Amino acid sequence: MIKILFVCLGNICRSPMAQVVFQNMINERNIEDDFEIDSAGTEGYNEMCHMGIHRGTKEILRRKNIPFEEHYSRKIRKQDYEYYDYIIAMDSENISDIESIVGKDYEHKISRLLDYTKSPRNIKDPWYTGNFDETYDDVVEGCEALLEAIYK
Ligand code: 4NP
């Protein structure tokens, strides 16, 4: 069982998109029993407001015919570090924010999603850019590269 936690700032735009896209990829390959997937944020305000997935993320997932269930924002917890095998951040700021919550990454579990691609970079936050299409393309590129890298 490979356990993956996707992490962004608010856990309503990028990391739930990555969670759904990755889940869909493993479902299509019938390898979903080998994985446990979740997502979380580094900030707690959306959890306090019981926020679901952002409308922009839902719209593009529907447009791409990717099935998904509702996900409610939750803040990453210290014990998530022990539980998950891979903690996959969307940008460099997420990584320092994660480490401020879980402590130093001694087990080298934390990386950015696009670090698995040929051009390592941040995934821009569509909360600020409004560009969910760009985020989706980056998320698909990253999830394909991640699956290729960790599942033999
Ligand atoms: P996310 O985007 O980190 O991709 O989920 C954000 C969502 C909400 C907020 C910031 C970023 N916010 O400030 O509420």
Side-chain angles (χ1 to χ4, degrees):
M1 174 73 78
I2 303 171
K3 302 190 202 107
I4 305 173
L5 185 67
F6 293 100
V7 180
C8 62
L9 174 61
N11 190 216
I12 61 173
C13 299
R14 292 166 295 173
S15 61
M17 191 189 292
Q19 177 186 353
V20 167
V21 164
F22 194 87
Q23 185 69 54
N24 189 59
M25 280 178 187
I26 59 177
N27 291 351
E28 284 182 342
R29 290 166 175 74
N30 294 314
I31 55 173
E32 67 271 24
D33 291 347
D34 293 339
F35 291 88
E36 184 178 326
I37 313 293
D38 196 10
S39 66
T42 57
E43 279 290 348
Y45 37 73
N46 289 301
E47 178 174 352
M48 280 192 301
C49 301
H50 197 57
M51 289 294 286
I53 300 174
H54 190 281
R55 182 161 36 87
T57 291
K58 286 181 171 172
E59 271 171 15
I60 190 139
L61 291 171
R62 289 195 186 108
R63 213 165 356 111
K64 303 289 181 182
N65 285 318
I66 301 190
F68 61 93
E69 292 171 7
E70 186 58 283
H71 168 86
Y72 291 98
S73 178
R74 76 160 175 94
K75 187 176 177 183
I76 187 170
R77 297 177 285 261
K78 199 170 167 53
Q79 57 266 37
D80 287 322
Y81 186 77
E82 285 312 313
Y83 187 75
Y84 287 94
D85 302 307
Y86 295 92
I87 298 181
I88 306 292
M90 300 298 121
D91 61 38
S92 312
E93 207 176 300
N94 298 153
I95 295 194
S96 41
D97 290 342
I98 293 166
E99 285 189 313
S100 73
I101 296 164
V102 306
K104 199 165 164 37
D105 182 21
Y106 288 114
E107 294 180 58
H108 303 293
K109 292 182 172 186
I110 308 174
S111 57
R112 292 179 305 181
L113 183 57
L114 293 178
D115 286 342
Y116 291 88
T117 71
K118 289 192 177 68
S119 54
R121 61 198 189 276
N122 291 330
I123 296 186
K124 289 184 211 139
D125 194 337
W127 175 265
Y128 301 107
T129 67
N131 191 340
F132 285 84
D133 290 69
E134 182 185 35
T135 303
Y136 178 81
D137 291 344
D138 282 351
V139 162
V140 169
E141 182 185 346
C143 285
E144 281 170 352
L146 173 64
L147 184 57
E148 175 73 20
I150 67 173
Y151 191 78
K152 306 291 175 211

